[in-house]
Amino acid sequence: VAVHEVLKEQRALADSGTPRSPAWGSMVIRRLDWTAVAFICPIAVLVLLMVFIPIGRTIYYALCNYQGLGSPQFTGLANFRNLAADPTFRRVILNNLLLVFGLFLWVTVPFILAVILYRRSRADVIRTILFVPVLLPPVVVGTAFRIILADNGPVNGVLGAIGLGHIEPGWLTDQHLVLLSVALVITWAVMGSGVLFYSAGLAAMPYELTEAALIDGAEWRHLVWHVYRPGLRHVTRFFALLLTVSTVTGFFPWIFGLTQGGPGVSSTTLDFDVYESGILGGNYGAASAIAVCSIIFLCMVLGCFIVLPRLSRRWHAPHGLIERVDWRRTSPSGIRIFPIPARRFLASRMRDLIVGLAILAVAFPLVWVIRLAFKPEQQWIGNPDSFGGGWTMANFTGAWSSGNLGTALLNSLMIVPLGALIATTVSTLAGYALVKLRVPGKRAVLICVALAVFTPLPAIAIPLFNQALSFGYADQRLGLSLVYGSIFAAWGTLLMATHFRELPDELIEAARVDGASSLRTFLRVALPLAMPGLAALFVINLLIQWNELIIALVMLPDPTKQTVTVAIATFTTQFRTGGPLTAAGVLIAACPIIVIYGVSQRFIRADVLAGAVKG
Amino acid sequence: MSNDEGKARAGGIGRRFGRLGHGREEGYTRRQVLYGGAGSALLLLAGSELLAACSSAATSSPSATATGSSSAKATLTLLNWHTSTPDQGLGEGYLAAGKAYRRANPNITLNFQAEPIADYVPYVTSAAKTGKLPSNVALYPGLNHSALFPAVKPLTTTEVGPLLQQLTGWLDTELHVGQAGTYAGIPFGGQGVVWYYNKQLFEQAGLDPSVPPTTFDEFATACDKLKAKGIAPIGVSGADSYIASWMLESWTTQFFPTQADVQAFALGQRSFADPGVNATLQAIEQTYKRGWWESGFAGKQFTDVENDFSTGKVAMVCGIITDIVNWALWDSKLGKNSYGVFPAPLLAGAKTSTPTQFFYPSILLGVNKDAPDPDAALAFNKFLVSEQSQTIVLANGGSFPNRLDVDVSAATGSPGAAAIQALLKTHPLVDSIGSWLNTAASSKYIPLLTPAVTSGGISSYISTIAGLQAQTN
């Protein structure tokens, strides 16, 4: 259906001043592809209801004195004036800005590892090991590192053992060091996904480029700087954007588990401040003002990502272009200490060492937490940084019963699969309609969906709950599934649109020529071909929704209905001793996600690789 | 069963009833028998209730007197917070008091629900919005729970009656509810800050364990002597900042010794930048700068400090009197006669010559404004604050009473608790400024405190909290 033609016709009619014929409206209706409208409607309605209306409410609350109970009272810009005068809020903004500098670590470390692992034997095994932290719920990662980086924890224990006891830093207790610790922990957590993205980018690069450079005498460092770095620029941009957005939208669970924003407000981020002021403190007006500030902050960050490449010619270099380099000129001149074969040998061993250290960095905290979970409480109290001692299962039974983890696991199993199913279904329909069908207002829908992806969840949590109250699904598991299905459908829509774009148009045209309707073409042709992407989307939705914390925390106040992520977050804040009981709780919470990943590993990896290759 | 069979059976029953009707020409009809039976049953029920009421009145049990026992059936649930596990500490006290109430009021079904203290405000807010708030709600009697007050039924002076004279802490309740002549709840239990010291460690340092320090100079001498002997003088929890905040609360009373002084903070008549606050913070800074804080304090929670004091690793700790870091814990872990209690040592420039003692109600017992049976809920709250109940809660849950007619020594058998009660009776009692800060200030003044003291940032801390306190929203 030529909707564009219809719109042109409408414009022409308006320009000529000719009154519309009575048949015009019915003509538009007749010529609309109702399948496309039906496919796009769910995402449009859900994004409007679950993202944009809550954002509107957040802005309204930000202009009110609103304590949660009772009605909001309009006070204009009072909340913003309060924030402007509050030095702690200025520190929170500074924390977010400083954390953006963590990008250097978060991007560089996985880039170097991916390049080292490129075309290396057993690289898949190493990548899988490095990917394990990505699977763990961030609140679990935060809690685990609270144990590892405690003043009397194993890291300081190791420093003491190698004679550096005098420096034993307060990783999480020194207000000058805590942000660096947070950045390091996040490096640990995101390293695996970065390696995977970069590996996919490398796999998509023609190996001939590497070969040509090697023939021309390029050494490994030349390859890294002049071939891989520019060749993977698109992956770097994507990954950096993802992480930068996360500093505003997704750091809450890490901060919650790791530092609770302390000491003082030294590690409080915008999203954690929304939680602390609104949900904990009950000052919803102030929290909404912080949420609005976080949206503005996010817009500025996204703006930088759009403007900076235009300012930088190098950044703006065409995708995949390899720089022209005279390798001889880039080689260091002067005296060489080692002959070339020796240098190459040393460089190779150095790369092995880096990989070894990365594996150690991933494995050490995991092994420590597993060991601690089996350690008797009294032995831990007596010697907290010791690996030895007895073994017991009592911590698991204790954590299971006192943390109410059984019920929480069951709740997650009731909520998350349904949420993932809703998100996958809605995303698939919308993704297909956006790239293969003629949809009225397609561009507007795409922009809205993209904006919805970048919405900070803490900013909409409070209005989402109020909206749920109005519609009667507050404190209902089914309600949370619906919310999850809606807010995560936006991201899935973009993913599925990428998948369907790869589908040859000829197949669709052939089906239409054979007389198949749009619906039939979708069901019989497009859907079967998109099954791998669909499966991946479902599994990734399972993982994301399973790990989600803030919406679940707000939407399900009833402790008997809380999800396992909320249960473990509550459990670890309640028993903040960082001891064996906490470690056992962390392991119980992490187990289901490891199982889900184990079962569906090939779907996720195939999908991530495919997505990254497309850039 | 066929119709004929049915009729035959009905006839048989009728005949049997007919045979019972001696002296009548005809026997009783079925309707007469049914009505008569129902009437008799009702009479029996009424009689038994009357008998029960009479026997209840005859025994005149103290609990019945306190509760105004009701024969009406009701299910009540008390929602409160807990700091570790729901059935320990105060929770244990509630359970014991609940049993006593049930004995006097068998028609009342009691439930107790405890939520983690960190999630309490969001939980009560959500529960109130979703109509799931239990009948009885425990609230913190400070401004930072004032956002929850709309969820509870305001109580009039008539409703609280003689409790106004019997209990301390009404002022908080009245001011915070914001409506003249009404109260958000009934103040229950007592909270305050005292200094605990380890007698054995004092002896080791050459100090007289029977004479605790009364001025800051004496306190400094004691700390220096302890430090010289390699004993950590003061336990501090840097990770949660609680102990430092209690130090602040214990000392500020010396600069704001009357209730009017403290109230001025809530009314906006006095700023956090008051010189009295600064003097207190300088004293706390002294304790840090002179190296009296235990090593590794930065990573410690209050639970770690509890362990350190219980195991004799630190000589003194500024603790509270109800629930945590308190005498009940030292009784069980350190030994009943192994520790002593003293009020905050007098600081130079204090506005009082006798050290004042910080004391205020630990809880407000409110009634859900939408409770199906508000009278029964109020009656239970009144029972909880009675002398009988507060004695039970003290003995079982270690919660100090907010009425002076409870015999603390007899209820607990604890010399430490008895010493605290003696201290409460001999020192002027006053609230702490912490309860009178608004939501914005009270959410930050504790977490920012220890970092401010240890980094020399006291002036910036004061201006920050003063700025938050000045916020209007």
Side-chain angles (χ1 to χ4, degrees):
Chain A
V1 178
V3 175
H4 288 292
E5 287 171 17
V6 174
L7 292 173
K8 272 183 197 168
E9 194 178 332
Q10 181 192 10
R11 229 172 276 133
L13 281 169
D15 291 344
S16 64
T18 314
R20 289 176 190 173
S21 67
W24 189 88
S26 57
M27 182 179 71
V28 172
I29 291 169
R30 272 203 310 277
R31 293 173 73 178
L32 271 178
D33 184 345
W34 288 106
T35 308
V37 173
F39 278 20
I40 216 74
C41 262
I43 188 76
V45 170
L46 291 178
V47 163
L48 181 73
L49 271 179
M50 301 293 183
V51 179
F52 289 105
I53 289 179
I55 287 178
R57 280 187 176 213
T58 299
I59 294 168
Y60 172 63
Y61 293 160
L63 301 172
C64 296
N65 180 9
Y66 182 36
Q67 304 286 325
L69 296 173
S71 306
Q73 294 165 339
F74 187 79
T75 53
L77 294 172
N79 286 318
F80 291 99
R81 277 197 294 272
N82 288 338
L83 288 180
D86 180 2
T88 59
F89 183 67
R90 289 199 288 274
R91 174 61 204 243
V92 170
I93 296 272
L94 181 68
N95 290 343
N96 266 77
L97 282 171
L98 289 173
L99 277 172
V100 174
F101 287 102
L103 272 179
F104 178 75
L105 272 178
W106 307 330
V107 171
T108 309
V109 171
F111 170 77
I112 291 171
L113 285 169
V115 169
I116 292 174
L117 292 173
Y118 181 42
R119 297 177 78 88
R120 189 190 171 104
S121 61
R122 293 192 291 280
D124 274 349
V125 178
I126 296 169
R127 280 193 210 106
T128 305
I129 293 170
L130 297 180
F131 195 70
V132 171
V134 179
L135 301 169
L136 302 175
V139 69
V140 165
V141 172
T143 309
F145 271 92
R146 208 177 65 228
I147 297 169
I148 303 297
L149 297 176
D151 286 358
N152 57 0
V155 170
N156 280 351
V158 169
L159 286 175
I162 59 174
L164 297 173
H166 58 285
I167 60 165
E168 286 183 359
W171 296 101
L172 303 176
T173 54
D174 184 338
Q175 52 185 325
H176 304 298
L177 196 62
V178 67
L179 277 182
L180 177 65
S181 305
V182 170
L184 287 172
V185 170
I186 291 169
T187 308
W188 183 88
V190 301
M191 186 166 61
S193 55
V195 168
L196 210 63
F197 283 128
Y198 279 117
S199 299
L202 284 166
M205 277 176 64
Y207 187 63
E208 289 76 15
L209 290 172
T210 309
E211 276 185 330
L214 287 173
I215 290 166
D216 284 351
E219 292 185 23
W220 188 79
R221 61 198 167 91
H222 299 133
L223 285 174
V224 171
W225 193 253
H226 297 290
V227 179
Y228 301 140
R229 187 184 58 86
L232 294 174
R233 191 168 283 150
H234 63 291
V235 180
T236 303
R237 284 188 65 182
F238 165 74
F239 194 47
L241 177 67
L242 196 71
L243 290 168
T244 312
V245 170
S246 294
T247 59
V248 184
T249 63
F251 273 22
F252 168 73
W254 274 311
I255 300 294
F256 187 95
L258 191 62
T259 64
Q260 288 276 306
V265 288
S266 308
S267 63
T268 302
T269 52
L270 281 164
D271 49 4
F272 190 81
D273 208 16
V274 171
Y275 165 77
E276 206 168 42
S277 298
I279 296 159
L280 280 190
N283 193 344
Y284 293 91
S288 299
I290 299 168
V292 169
C293 290
S294 72
I295 292 172
I296 294 168
F297 185 88
L298 187 63
C299 290
M300 286 164 65
V301 168
L302 290 174
C304 287
F305 267 85
I306 294 166
V307 172
L308 282 180
R310 292 175 194 275
L311 295 176
S312 160
R313 187 176 291 174
R314 287 175 62 80
W315 188 265
H316 203 49
H319 165 85
L321 180 73
I322 306 304
E323 293 167 2
R324 289 179 186 175
V325 178
D326 181 350
W327 307 117
R328 285 164 300 183
R329 286 182 62 190
T330 59
S331 298
S333 55
I335 302 165
R336 286 173 176 160
I337 299 169
F338 299 108
I340 287 175
R343 273 214 327 267
R344 284 189 176 157
F345 176 79
L346 281 175
S348 170
R349 293 293 78 79
M350 186 61 78
R351 291 198 290 273
D352 290 344
L353 183 67
I354 291 171
V355 172
L357 284 174
I359 293 172
L360 187 68
V362 166
F364 176 72
L366 298 175
V367 171
W368 189 275
V369 170
I370 292 168
R371 169 68 189 99
L372 186 58
F374 289 97
K375 198 170 185 173
E377 182 89 15
Q378 285 309 312
Q379 288 184 8
W380 173 76
I381 290 170
N383 204 355
D385 58 357
S386 160
F387 193 78
W391 296 78
T392 178
M393 287 296 288
N395 301 319
F396 288 91
T397 50
W400 183 268
S401 56
S402 54
N404 205 16
L405 295 181
T407 312
L409 276 170
L410 200 63
N411 288 333
S412 281
L413 287 171
M414 290 162 78
I415 292 163
V416 172
L418 182 59
L421 188 68
I422 294 171
T424 309
T425 310
V426 173
S427 308
T428 307
L429 296 177
Y432 179 75
L434 284 171
V435 295
K436 295 296 178 193
L437 299 176
R438 286 179 184 274
V439 180
K442 179 189 289 192
R443 185 181 290 262
V445 173
L446 259 176
I447 290 170
C448 289
V449 167
L451 286 176
V453 170
F454 293 121
T455 302
L457 293 186
I460 58 170
I462 296 162
L464 267 177
F465 179 71
N466 283 348
Q467 188 168 290
L469 277 171
S470 313
F471 288 100
Y473 59 84
D475 208 13
Q476 306 284 336
R477 296 182 194 90
L478 195 64
L480 185 59
S481 296
L482 181 68
V483 171
Y484 276 167
S486 308
I487 55 182
F488 292 115
W491 166 83
T493 300
L494 297 185
L495 191 81
M496 289 313 290
T498 315
H499 270 278
F500 283 120
R501 193 173 288 130
E502 296 299 307
L503 197 68
D505 285 339
E506 292 76 11
L507 285 173
I508 310 290
E509 290 303 322
R512 281 187 181 161
V513 168
D514 287 348
S517 64
S518 296
L519 181 64
R520 199 175 176 82
T521 308
F522 170 72
L523 290 174
R524 296 299 171 107
V525 179
L527 201 58
L529 290 171
M531 270 305 168
L534 204 75
L537 178 63
F538 181 74
V539 173
I540 294 172
N541 259 308
L542 278 182
L543 296 175
I544 293 173
Q545 293 182 22
W546 189 279
N547 293 343
E548 200 286 322
L549 178 62
I550 184 119
I551 299 288
L553 205 61
V554 177
M555 291 289 294
L556 294 176
D558 186 344
T560 61
K561 292 177 184 166
Q562 64 190 8
T563 63
V564 70
T565 312
V566 175
I568 199 66
T570 314
F571 176 76
T572 54
T573 46
Q574 192 181 334
F575 300 92
R576 284 184 70 84
T577 56
L581 203 64
T582 311
V586 160
L587 283 188
I588 293 171
C591 273
I593 217 72
I594 301 283
V595 170
I596 292 173
Y597 176 68
V599 172
S600 54
Q601 185 184 3
R602 66 191 173 92
F603 292 120
I604 301 173
R605 298 198 53 185
D607 181 72
V608 171
L609 288 171
V613 170
K614 284 164 205 156
Chain B
M1 189 165 64
S2 69
N3 278 345
D4 294 340
E5 275 178 38
K7 281 174 187 170
R9 282 195 177 192
I13 291 167
R15 280 195 296 277
R16 262 181 278 153
F17 285 150
R19 281 197 294 275
L20 289 171
H22 301 294
R24 285 195 177 206
E25 282 184 20
E26 292 175 16
Y28 296 107
T29 65
R30 237 185 307 175
R31 179 172 290 183
Q32 283 172 322
V33 170
L34 283 172
Y35 277 44
S40 310
L42 276 174
L43 273 173
L44 269 171
L45 257 175
S48 63
E49 287 296 317
L50 195 66
L51 274 172
C54 288
S55 66
S56 168
T59 50
S60 143
S61 85
S63 32
T65 312
T67 62
S69 74
S70 162
S71 59
K73 280 192 173 181
T75 300
L76 304 174
T77 302
L78 173 64
L79 173 67
N80 68 310
W81 61 81
H82 66 89
T83 50
S84 56
T85 49
D87 53 353
Q88 284 180 353
L90 192 53
E92 216 173 335
Y94 280 139
L95 286 175
K99 278 181 190 167
Y101 191 71
R102 281 272 295 146
R103 273 197 296 274
N105 299 274
N107 290 328
I108 303 289
T109 306
L110 281 178
N111 299 307
F112 295 92
Q113 182 185 345
E115 297 301 328
I117 190 163
D119 303 325
Y120 196 70
V121 173
Y123 180 80
V124 174
T125 308
S126 309
K129 284 182 150 195
T130 50
K132 292 177 180 171
L133 193 66
S135 55
N136 300 57
V137 190
L139 296 169
Y140 179 74
L143 281 189
N144 57 0
H145 268 191
S146 58
L148 304 176
F149 288 171
V152 295
K153 179 177 176 280
L155 301 175
T156 61
T157 312
T158 319
E159 282 175 302
V160 292
L163 292 174
L164 275 173
Q165 282 75 47
Q166 292 165 358
L167 306 171
T168 59
W170 281 103
L171 191 64
D172 304 71
T173 318
E174 183 182 17
L175 190 76
H176 295 162
V177 81
Q179 295 169 28
T182 56
Y183 305 92
I186 304 175
F188 165 72
Q191 188 60 287
V193 174
V194 292
W195 285 77
Y196 297 98
Y197 67 99
N198 184 317
K199 289 180 177 175
Q200 198 184 349
L201 294 180
F202 262 48
E203 270 183 0
Q204 280 179 27
L207 297 162
D208 183 352
S210 62
V211 187
T214 54
T215 64
F216 191 79
D217 288 341
E218 290 176 16
F219 181 74
T221 308
C223 286
D224 286 337
K225 282 188 175 176
L226 286 160
K227 195 181 164 192
K229 285 283 178 186
I231 300 164
I234 307 172
V236 178
S237 60
D240 57 25
S241 242
Y242 280 138
I243 307 275
S245 75
W246 294 330
M247 287 161 79
L248 178 80
E249 289 182 334
S250 77
W251 268 317
T252 47
T253 56
Q254 298 177 6
F255 294 92
F256 311 104
T258 67
Q259 203 64 28
D261 286 333
V262 184
Q263 266 184 61
F265 282 92
L267 299 172
Q269 296 160 351
R270 177 168 274 137
S271 162
F272 198 79
D274 189 283
V277 178
N278 187 42
T280 304
L281 287 165
Q282 296 294 341
I284 299 172
E285 194 179 41
Q286 282 292 308
T287 64
Y288 168 71
K289 279 188 173 170
R290 294 173 76 166
W292 299 336
W293 290 13
E294 64 176 317
S295 62
F297 70 87
K300 287 185 190 282
Q301 309 278 342
F302 74 81
T303 46
D304 300 319
V305 178
E306 280 179 343
N307 282 332
D308 290 348
F309 189 75
S310 304
T311 51
K313 287 180 184 167
V314 293
M316 289 183 279
V317 64
C318 185
I320 50 179
I321 61 176
T322 286
D323 215 19
I324 49 171
V325 198
N326 70 344
W327 55 272
L329 200 75
W330 319 141
D331 275 358
S332 62
K333 291 191 172 178
L334 193 62
K336 286 190 172 182
N337 291 307
S338 305
Y339 67 96
V341 180
F342 64 94
L346 203 61
L347 295 177
K351 289 185 178 174
T352 171
S353 53
T354 309
T356 41
Q357 176 56 48
F358 160 40
F359 187 75
Y360 78 117
S362 55
I363 284 170
L364 278 188
L365 292 173
V367 172
N368 175 6
K369 68 179 171 62
D370 300 320
D373 197 342
D375 293 338
L378 181 61
F380 178 53
N381 283 353
K382 285 182 176 177
F383 166 74
L384 282 175
V385 299
S386 67
E387 186 263 338
Q388 181 200 1
S389 163
Q390 293 216 45
T391 306
I392 295 171
V393 175
L394 172 64
N396 292 275
S399 171
F400 243 79
N402 64 331
R403 50 191 302 153
L404 296 174
D405 54 357
V406 175
D407 188 343
V408 172
S409 182
T412 60
S414 164
I420 291 170
Q421 196 186 31
L423 200 148
L424 294 176
K425 284 181 174 171
T426 52
H427 289 73
L429 304 180
V430 66
D431 203 343
S432 153
I433 62 169
S435 314
W436 301 82
L437 300 178
N438 64 12
T439 313
S442 66
S443 67
K444 293 285 193 311
Y445 96 99
I446 295 178
L448 293 179
L449 179 55
T450 308
V453 169
T454 54
S455 65
I458 284 179
S459 56
S460 133
Y461 170 76
I462 287 175
S463 65
T464 300
I465 303 302
L468 292 171
Q469 179 72 359
Q471 286 185 4
T472 48
N473 266 12

